Amino acid sequence: LLLAACFGTYAFAYLALTGFLPTYMVEQRGVDAAAAGLLTALVVAANVVGNLASSPLQARGASRWALIATAAFSMSLCALAIFDESLGDFWRYIACLIFSAAGGLAPGALFASVPHNVPRPTLIATTSGLMMQGSNTGSTLGPPALALLVTWSGGWQSGAWLLCGMLILCICAAILLGRNEKRRL
């Protein structure tokens, strides 16, 4: 359940931002639609950096729960910057790239955590499936929740707080995951 919670909250925040990034760029920042699509594609591609870095970091001794918590913490700081009206567009875009790249650390750490968080090896597949259901739930709920909040509040700035709230839940679940793994050793 902790793995599902981590993946669900991560996916919620990641898909909410990347799903609405082109709309945000066009409507709020005045970016041409084609450029917004290209810039968003680069943000999504930046996630690969974190995905590829996760395994080597684990091989060098980084704990899985700490990578998940670091990803969520970094994403939350970036979410605050992305929706901060006092920052220029260049810095907001850099925050989008970091949000995605840092967030990429989480999936690799989550998948590597599965064998360490099951009561017995026969439950690895079931646990992986439950974790993916968490991801799917977050992916499904994140974008409409962001759209609802932005519409209800009348501004994109409130989106930062929604994303940060979900990412704080991810950090809490990651800490509990780390404690669970320590007990199992």
Side-chain angles (χ1 to χ4, degrees):
L1 291 175
L2 291 172
L3 292 167
C6 286
F7 216 164
T9 52
Y10 158 79
F12 183 105
Y14 180 77
L15 269 290
L17 179 75
T18 58
F20 276 103
L21 191 55
T23 302
Y24 176 73
M25 287 182 179
V26 170
E27 290 181 2
Q28 297 297 308
R29 310 314 309 159
V31 176
D32 168 83
L38 176 62
L39 291 169
T40 300
L42 292 173
V43 168
V44 171
N47 193 256
V48 173
V49 173
N51 278 268
L52 294 176
S54 187
S55 291
L57 289 170
Q58 291 174 59
R60 291 196 171 121
S63 63
R64 293 172 295 277
W65 77 268
L67 288 173
I68 298 163
T70 299
F73 181 73
S74 301
M75 291 170 74
S76 64
L77 292 179
C78 289
L80 293 172
I82 291 164
F83 295 108
D84 183 347
E85 288 292 327
S86 69
L87 291 178
D89 289 342
F90 174 79
W91 294 111
R92 288 175 173 201
Y93 185 69
I94 296 299
C96 288
L97 291 170
I98 296 169
F99 176 96
S100 183
L105 293 171
L110 285 161
F111 281 107
S113 296
V114 172
H116 303 281
N117 286 280
V118 293
R120 56 189 178 278
T122 57
L123 294 175
I124 288 176
T126 303
T127 303
S128 295
L130 180 62
M131 185 175 72
M132 290 309 300
Q133 287 303 314
S135 174
N136 293 338
T137 301
S139 299
T140 301
L141 297 177
L146 179 62
L148 181 66
L149 181 62
V150 168
T151 301
W152 176 76
S153 70
W156 285 91
Q157 297 78 8
S158 59
W161 300 109
L162 174 65
L163 300 183
C164 286
M166 293 308 290
L167 293 164
I168 288 168
L169 291 175
C170 185
I171 293 167
C172 293
I175 291 168
L176 292 173
L177 189 65
R179 288 183 181 169
N180 185 51
E181 286 187 14
K182 280 185 182 178
R183 278 196 306 265
R184 296 181 56 98
L185 293 177

